Amino acid sequence: MAKLSVRTFKDNEHALRHYLQQVDDFAEKARYISPAQEAVYQQKLTEAMQGYGSLIESEAIATGTDVSAVAAAVISQRKAWEVRAHKIEVQRIKAKSAVRKAATTVAKQAAVDAFKQQLTLLQ
């Protein structure tokens, strides 16, 4: 059974801010990597680009592959993440435009819902 929800806002400006923030929040969640994990990824990327380093060498030993294969995989994964982050940003920009153009709160919510659906397709 569908669950209905009605939101009321003080005025259109409050509704607009609410839905624009939702778009930003969903985009952030889709791109999120913890600061600690990002630091590790950045270190691995630096090592991969150099072709040596303790993290990629340890991973090569642990996985039974050579360092060059680990380095190539790290670089490839980073490029894939950058492509995905770019796609998310393009969709975020489009969604915020759709929210701004929407005449009603129902239409604004529909734009946010469409954006959420787009994000699921990018995973």
Side-chain angles (χ1 to χ4, degrees):
M1 184 176 216
K3 181 179 175 185
L4 293 176
S5 175
V6 176
R7 292 197 69 121
T8 57
F9 297 95
K10 181 178 174 181
D11 55 31
N12 191 49
E13 186 60 32
H14 282 86
L16 179 62
R17 282 197 309 262
H18 169 79
Y19 290 111
L20 291 174
Q21 186 62 55
Q22 278 195 328
V23 169
D24 286 340
D25 291 347
F26 287 124
E28 181 179 354
K29 183 177 178 186
R31 288 186 296 237
Y32 183 76
I33 299 173
S34 74
Q37 195 63 42
E38 175 57 24
V40 171
Y41 289 163
Q42 187 57 50
Q43 181 62 37
K44 284 177 76 173
L45 180 62
T46 298
E47 291 181 10
M49 294 177 80
Q50 294 171 348
Y52 63 91
S54 64
L55 291 175
I56 64 170
E57 290 167 7
S58 296
E59 187 169 331
I61 292 167
T63 59
T65 59
D66 55 79
V67 173
S68 63
V70 172
V74 167
I75 292 168
S76 176
Q77 289 168 355
R78 178 60 182 221
K79 287 179 181 176
W81 183 87
E82 288 172 357
V83 167
R84 185 171 176 277
H86 176 80
K87 289 177 180 179
I88 291 168
E89 181 61 11
V90 168
Q91 292 304 317
R92 185 189 74 82
I93 291 165
K94 289 178 181 179
K96 288 182 88 167
S97 177
V99 167
R100 285 185 183 98
K101 291 176 184 175
T104 66
T105 56
V106 171
K108 288 174 184 14
Q109 181 63 58
V112 172
D113 291 343
F115 176 60
K116 287 173 28 181
Q117 181 62 33
Q118 285 292 321
L119 291 177
T120 63
L121 299 175
L122 295 175
Q123 298 188 28

